[in-house]
Amino acid sequence: MPPNTTATTGDKPGKSGRKKGRKARLIVLVLVLAIIGGVAYGAYWSISTVRASFPQTKGSIKLDGLSGPVDVKRDGYGIPQIYASSDEDLFMAQGYVQAQDRFYEMDVRRHMTSGRLSEMFGKGQVKNDEFLRTLGWDRVAKEEYDTKLSASTKKYLQAYAKGVNAYLQGKDGKEISLEYAALGFTNDYKPEKWTPVDSVSWLKAMAWDLRGNMQDEIDRALMTSRLGPKQIKDLYPDYPYDRNKAIVQEGQYNELTKTFEQNGSTSTSGTSTSGSTGSSSTSAGSALQSQLSGLYNVLDNVPTAVGVNGQGIGSNSWVVAGDHTITGHPLLANDPHLSASLPSVWYQMGLHCRTVSSKCQYDVTGYTFAGMPGVVIGHNQDIAWGMTNSGVDVTDLYLEKLSGDGYLYDGTVKPFKTREETIKVAGGASKKIVVRETNNGPLLSDRDDELVKVGKKATVDTAAPDRGDGYGIALRWTALDPGTSMDAVFAMDKATDWSEFRSAAKLFDVPSQNLIYADKDNIGYTLPGKIPTRAKNDDGSLPAPGWDSGYKWTGYIPQDALPYEYNPKRGYIVTANQAVIDPDKYPYTLTTDWGYGTRSQRITDLIEQKIKGGGKISTDDMRQMQLDNTSVIAQKLVPDLLKIDVGDKDVLEAQKLLEGWDYTQDADSAAAAYFNAVWRNVLKLAFGNKLPKELRVKGQCLWVDPVNTTGPADDTQKVRECGERDADQAQPDGGDRWFEVVLKLLDDPKSDWWTTPKSLTRPGAENNRDDLLKRAMIDARWELTAKLGKDIDTWSWGRLHRLFLKNQTLGTDGPGFLQYILNRGPWKLSGGEATVNATGWNAAGGYGVVWVPSMRMVVNLDDLDKSKWINLTGASGHAYSAHYTDQTGKWVDGELLDWNFSEKAVDKSTSDTLVLKP
């Protein structure tokens, strides 16, 4: 079993010469062990360092500050269930236990949220820190803690911090985590004490990754250099409300309309469509071409908290009423789609009061974040809940006219609000920056050299102020105002019914989430969040002119006017990032950039098939739905592909894979491999090669017509442009927006989008839809021949579609032997983009897995001990712990673990018990 953490420590890092000597001895020893012992680089670490940081999970430990004993019971997967007799003891123990398993992860997170990564990792993180300091997450979190949060929440945060610090007391880096031992060879970094604000800041990082349509806003503006308004509109089609149902279908529309009329809001009516290019913002969008390219580069480098910098973030959740389940009581499922990380972003645990009372109010279990008290998603003794990202628009970019020490606003120059920030750098000199803010928010453009040249070559209309030295870009974002989301976590954890749950949800201001609910007899949905209203018919789809007060936010949608459903007649509720509500039935604009509902409608269809077939839904049915691999775009496109006369026998051999294919993307499917290769090439030929370089894959170079040429350019005028985006961020990414784009074009075989200039492709894809599809099938055949071999019998989707789990710091940028020690994989995955089993990949960049169902759960409200759950990795963040990736294999296979809740069930599954004593 894991030993106690009181292992003997080595020498402390000293002078640079000593550190270099120790590093040299380490490398020599690793090589000797690798050669003589025939083992990998990890041998040295596993023997001399790794075990020092393993947590004590048996026996007892004394913790100053506890009022009574606390039991920590871990099952065979190391998942802890904590039993205490007071709220403060419960959360203090939670802090201690999470620090045992995940403190390095917690420490990196707080350095990210506070813009202090350079203190750990050196000068390579200075640019990131500059950007994060400009956003000021930790400053907002401190204001939130000081002025917004309830006294009880502060008490719990303080208790949690006390527990973390009790774990840290007396330990050096080696005793905390392997990564600190590695950092010790390059700097003298030592972890600081944990603070309550460190926990609150994490919610800001989560909100950043779930911030809504900011990326679409940037992309649309970037497209203006190569595409006209009609073409951009083609790439952002209207949401298909007639085909893919919104979440709320039976809501209180009359009450909402009445509220709207009484408030006299000036927000837009909600009839805007995706990709709107309102006249008020079109010129600003054109002017931002060069600036936004630089801004994207900054955003792309910001470390992600839970997702891929706001792109591809999805999730599934649904709840089925007891009328349609075999138990006669509701079932609730959830699987958030987030970046694949090691360890997983989620931490499973139970928080149990031995007796629920006013002194000790919690009996809750589920998923939380290491570094934050409470449970974020899960269930208590009365209710269960899940979350998906709502995608509502809570960010706006503003074009700012800068003038000396101020900015133009309604014809007057107003002074910037400024602050100075000092960035400390491990192994180097500190750097000072000045953060400037307008009344629209911080100037993000100050953080990139390219943005200093704002507007020097951009064309603007006569309504815009003189460009002078250039325009800046400011960010207005709800999360930059202090809020109460931390209060919401604790309130949801102890809610006992729908009324209390909705009251708790109202406190969850950022990030706005779709919340589904179930108790033993009822199901529900509610949309919480601080969602802005806008003036002048500005729908937030493009950057707005910051110098005009007519474009400021006018307020927020009243909480009582936000959509919800309770016990709908259909007997189920599905949320999967689709539209929340039909805009014709709702008076406010929530966003213009919903997910397009492919996953949500597939889930709905699976539920309806079961119900209409006279069946009842079981816990395992819910699990099987989570694993559905059906490709909806394949169902639509394959019939057209099979009509193409491809000619070449080798291509014909590949085409025949699609005959009789059931459209499921299993890991061992050759047909899925070929179809997805065809899909990728269709997107590249029809759209990708026509997008500006700022959206294309980095290093992908094309000969194109120069921008702003008058009349058609001849071949001698072509210029070579290379893509600038990372592979997992480029366009077209192949998600369900692109499904919708292609579906609308399939019935127009002579659309200009099917016409490809000869300079952008090999012969055969120039004229119409069928020519382009044929070229895509040929290119896909030879692409897979190069990747998988000529023999199609050896092809499989899993060989292309692989998951690598990487430690998010030293596992990506550390020395090779450290990456070997810290990282795991690959695994061959089923599923795909916009399937229910959403193992996402970016069609512009390749087939590798970018985001995943980061956990899966099914809650059985009839018998909570029959609920099921799984995590992407494991409970531990220690690289050689038995619980580092012990759930991953089962996750890949679609299995779920027993989720024990009652004390009797927990005791039966307990492997280790640790008693924390006062």
Side-chain angles (χ1 to χ4, degrees):
M1 300 309 300
N4 199 317
T5 56
T6 56
T8 304
T9 61
D11 294 335
K12 305 285 184 182
K15 297 179 180 179
S16 61
R18 182 186 300 174
K19 287 188 288 186
K20 290 178 181 177
R22 290 178 63 199
K23 186 174 182 180
R25 289 195 298 274
L26 167 68
I27 294 171
V28 170
L29 181 53
V30 167
L31 291 175
V32 169
L33 287 172
I35 295 170
I36 296 177
V39 293
Y41 289 133
Y44 171 82
W45 292 94
S46 62
I47 293 169
S48 69
T49 304
V50 176
R51 295 194 179 196
S53 61
F54 282 8
Q56 179 180 340
T57 59
K58 288 185 174 182
S60 63
I61 297 174
K62 289 186 177 181
L63 291 188
D64 290 340
L66 287 176
S67 64
V70 176
D71 295 330
V72 182
K73 302 176 182 181
R74 293 179 184 259
D75 66 11
Y77 289 89
I79 299 170
Q81 304 284 340
I82 299 175
Y83 291 84
S85 298
S86 74
D87 290 338
E88 291 93 327
D89 284 357
L90 192 64
F91 295 118
M92 181 177 177
Q94 184 182 17
Y96 185 90
V97 170
Q98 287 192 337
Q100 280 187 305
D101 286 335
R102 301 276 194 97
F103 182 76
Y104 175 77
E105 175 193 5
M106 294 163 58
D107 200 16
V108 171
R109 284 178 174 177
R110 67 165 165 178
H111 278 77
M112 179 182 74
T113 58
S114 60
R116 297 171 54 208
L117 289 167
S118 301
E119 294 178 20
M120 294 185 75
F121 304 110
K123 62 182 181 181
Q125 295 296 323
V126 169
K127 282 287 186 184
N128 286 335
D129 284 347
E130 290 179 3
F131 186 81
L132 293 164
R133 294 287 183 96
T134 300
L135 287 173
W137 291 341
D138 64 326
R139 297 174 63 87
V140 180
K142 186 178 188 307
E143 186 178 355
E144 201 162 288
Y145 180 81
D146 290 341
T147 66
K148 289 288 186 178
L149 298 181
S150 68
S152 61
T153 292
K154 290 182 181 180
K155 182 171 61 176
Y156 301 155
L157 288 164
Q158 292 162 3
Y160 181 89
K162 188 187 298 183
V164 175
N165 293 327
Y167 170 75
L168 294 177
Q169 187 173 4
K171 292 182 175 67
D172 66 10
K174 175 183 174 182
E175 294 175 288
I176 298 171
S177 182
L178 160 66
E179 289 90 338
Y180 290 119
L183 286 176
F185 293 112
T186 58
N187 65 60
D188 294 324
Y189 174 80
K190 292 180 177 60
E192 299 173 352
K193 287 186 175 182
W194 193 262
T195 72
V197 174
D198 293 334
S199 296
V200 178
S201 295
W202 176 240
L203 286 171
K204 301 301 175 185
M206 183 174 74
W208 176 253
D209 284 350
L210 305 175
R211 63 191 177 273
N213 77 333
M214 183 173 167
Q215 197 61 60
D216 288 314
E217 195 172 333
I218 292 170
D219 287 357
R220 276 189 289 265
L222 289 171
M223 287 178 183
T224 59
S225 70
R226 291 255 170 227
L227 305 176
K230 169 65 168 61
Q231 292 171 307
I232 295 173
K233 180 67 172 65
D234 287 345
L235 302 186
Y236 288 87
D238 295 346
Y239 184 91
Y241 289 97
D242 57 336
R243 188 174 72 251
N244 297 342
K245 301 301 182 185
I247 297 170
V248 174
Q249 300 171 37
E250 302 172 33
Q252 303 296 318
Y253 306 132
N254 292 336
E255 286 184 21
L256 295 173
T257 303
K258 184 177 179 181
T259 302
F260 170 74
E261 291 170 348
Q262 287 174 344
N263 287 338
S265 172
T266 57
S267 68
T268 107
S269 67
T271 56
S272 301
T273 57
S274 298
S276 169
T277 55
S279 60
S280 60
S281 297
T282 302
S283 62
S286 176
L288 281 172
Q289 169 65 29
S290 59
Q291 303 96 297
L292 289 178
S293 174
L295 174 59
Y296 175 81
N297 293 330
V298 178
L299 297 180
D300 189 38
N301 288 325
V302 175
T304 60
V306 296
V308 191
N309 280 325
Q311 291 202 43
I313 297 296
S315 297
N316 301 322
S317 70
W318 66 95
V319 60
V320 180
D323 288 346
H324 302 304
T325 70
I326 61 172
T327 67
H329 296 284
L331 294 169
L332 183 150
N334 196 188
D335 55 286
H337 308 152
L338 305 173
S339 288
S341 60
L342 183 60
S344 166
V345 69
W346 297 110
Y347 185 91
Q348 298 155 285
M349 73 186 322
L351 301 171
H352 308 280
C353 290
R354 292 190 178 96
T355 301
V356 176
S357 65
S358 59
K359 180 182 178 183
C360 197
Q361 304 172 75
Y362 296 89
D363 188 14
V364 62
T365 180
Y367 297 85
T368 189
F369 302 118
M372 203 178 89
V375 167
V376 176
I377 295 174
H379 71 81
N380 59 31
Q381 69 273 31
D382 296 306
I383 71 167
W385 66 96
M387 295 185 187
T388 63
N389 192 29
S390 71
V392 298
D393 188 359
V394 295
T395 61
D396 278 337
L397 294 173
Y398 283 91
L399 190 66
E400 302 283 8
K401 164 59 180 173
L402 309 184
S403 180
D405 293 329
Y407 59 96
L408 188 67
Y409 190 70
D410 282 349
T412 301
V413 175
K414 292 185 172 292
F416 294 114
K417 180 181 178 181
T418 63
R419 67 177 188 272
E420 187 175 83
E421 299 274 355
T422 300
I423 298 171
K424 297 179 181 179
V425 183
S430 298
K431 181 176 182 179
K432 291 185 177 181
I433 64 168
V434 174
V435 176
R436 300 188 294 175
E437 294 186 15
T438 74
N439 57 359
N440 291 314
L443 275 175
L444 303 188
S445 50
D446 281 352
R447 300 284 75 89
D448 189 270
D449 293 340
E450 289 181 81
L451 300 180
V452 176
K453 304 173 183 177
V454 171
K456 285 188 175 180
K457 295 184 179 180
T459 301
V460 294
D461 62 22
T462 55
D466 182 79
R467 64 191 175 205
D469 293 330
Y471 297 113
I473 303 168
L475 172 67
R476 184 81 169 95
W477 179 31
T478 54
L480 296 184
D481 298 324
T484 56
S485 292
M486 199 70 241
D487 282 341
V489 172
F490 294 114
M492 286 192 294
D493 283 357
K494 64 181 180 181
T496 62
D497 57 27
W498 171 245
S499 176
E500 290 183 5
F501 181 77
R502 282 206 77 210
S503 295
K506 289 179 180 180
L507 300 170
F508 207 98
D509 43 20
V510 292
S512 176
Q513 298 288 286
N514 297 310
L515 296 180
I516 59 167
Y517 165 94
D519 60 38
K520 204 171 183 67
D521 301 306
N522 305 287
I523 64 172
Y525 162 86
T526 190
L527 174 71
K530 197 174 182 181
I531 304 170
T533 55
R534 299 171 175 85
K536 277 197 175 180
N537 293 320
D538 176 27
D539 62 12
S541 64
L542 282 170
W547 48 79
D548 184 345
S549 62
Y551 291 88
K552 69 179 181 179
W553 289 0
T554 58
Y556 300 95
I557 300 175
Q559 288 290 308
D560 289 339
L562 289 172
Y564 73 93
E565 274 193 338
Y566 187 58
N567 290 329
K569 293 178 182 178
R570 64 187 180 277
Y572 60 85
I573 301 170
V574 176
T575 86
N577 317 113
Q578 80 270 39
V580 168
I581 192 167
D582 189 323
D584 291 338
K585 301 174 181 177
Y586 190 67
Y588 296 97
T589 294
L590 297 174
T591 186
T592 61
D593 291 297
W594 302 114
Y596 280 78
T598 303
R599 281 180 288 109
S600 62
Q601 194 57 44
R602 177 60 183 169
I603 296 166
T604 297
D605 291 344
L606 291 170
I607 295 171
E608 286 282 351
Q609 287 170 18
K610 192 77 173 181
I611 293 173
K612 290 179 179 178
K616 296 286 188 177
I617 295 173
S618 68
T619 300
D620 197 59
D621 289 331
M622 302 283 274
R623 179 187 71 86
Q624 293 286 356
M625 291 177 192
Q626 289 178 325
L627 302 178
D628 183 79
N629 292 320
T630 301
S631 171
V632 173
I633 190 60
Q635 291 176 327
K636 303 294 185 181
L637 189 55
V638 164
D640 288 311
L641 296 177
L642 290 174
K643 295 174 185 176
I644 304 295
D645 182 5
V646 295
D648 184 282
K649 66 180 181 61
D650 291 311
V651 181
L652 178 61
E653 182 184 32
Q655 184 186 37
K656 285 183 177 296
L657 289 172
L658 303 179
E659 295 180 357
W661 178 41
D662 63 359
Y663 310 118
T664 60
Q665 299 172 98
D666 296 328
D668 61 359
S669 171
Y674 182 58
F675 173 77
N676 282 318
V678 174
W679 172 241
R680 179 173 185 248
N681 280 278
V682 167
L683 293 173
K684 179 180 178 182
L685 292 168
F687 312 105
N689 291 347
K690 301 167 188 175
L691 296 176
K693 64 181 184 295
E694 292 85 2
L695 274 67
R696 298 202 314 269
V697 175
K698 190 178 295 182
Q700 180 196 87
C701 301
L702 299 170
W703 288 94
V704 298
D705 293 336
V707 176
N708 297 328
T709 55
T710 57
D714 59 38
D715 288 341
T716 62
Q717 292 178 297
K718 301 289 185 186
V719 295
R720 189 170 185 265
E721 285 188 352
C722 298
E724 297 179 353
R725 283 206 175 167
D726 288 343
D728 62 0
Q729 295 280 291
Q731 293 292 339
D733 61 19
D736 68 351
R737 173 165 65 89
W738 294 99
F739 287 15
E740 198 65 25
V741 170
V742 172
L743 285 176
K744 289 184 178 297
L745 292 174
L746 282 176
D747 293 331
D748 185 8
K750 294 185 179 180
S751 165
D752 288 343
W753 288 108
W754 298 122
T755 302
T756 304
K758 291 182 179 179
S759 61
L760 298 181
T761 183
R762 293 192 295 274
E766 304 98 323
N767 301 314
N768 56 50
R769 180 197 66 191
D770 289 353
D771 285 349
L772 188 142
L773 294 181
K774 179 178 179 179
R775 182 73 256 174
M777 294 174 76
I778 294 169
D779 290 353
R781 183 5 162 162
W782 299 117
E783 180 187 358
L784 294 197
T785 297
K787 292 179 182 296
L788 303 179
K790 188 173 182 180
D791 184 359
I792 65 172
D793 290 337
T794 67
W795 290 3
S796 71
W797 177 226
R799 288 181 62 194
L800 292 172
H801 193 54
R802 300 187 299 166
L803 170 67
F804 290 85
L805 291 175
K806 294 185 177 182
N807 177 289
Q808 293 303 291
T809 56
L810 302 178
T812 56
D813 295 321
F817 75 92
L818 263 181
Q819 294 189 36
Y820 178 86
I821 289 168
L822 296 172
N823 297 340
R824 299 292 183 270
W827 287 269
K828 298 176 181 179
L829 296 192
S830 300
E833 182 62 44
T835 62
V836 181
N837 184 18
T839 55
W841 56 288
N842 186 299
Y847 304 98
V849 176
V850 179
W851 56 85
V852 295
S854 54
M855 62 81 159
R856 298 186 183 103
M857 74 177 201
V858 180
V859 182
N860 184 326
L861 274 298
D862 176 64
D863 184 347
L864 293 171
D865 286 332
K866 292 182 179 178
S867 301
K868 303 285 185 178
W869 64 351
I870 196 77
N871 206 350
L872 173 63
T873 60
S876 179
H878 300 290
Y880 281 93
S881 165
H883 307 306
Y884 192 48
T885 56
D886 58 338
Q887 297 185 52
T888 306
K890 291 183 179 296
W891 177 93
V892 170
D893 292 338
E895 297 179 35
L896 298 176
L897 305 177
D898 291 337
W899 185 356
N900 299 304
F901 177 67
S902 69
E903 189 167 9
K904 180 180 178 181
V906 168
D907 286 343
K908 187 175 180 180
S909 66
T910 296
S911 295
D912 294 355
T913 299
L914 174 68
V915 180
L916 303 177
K917 296 182 176 180

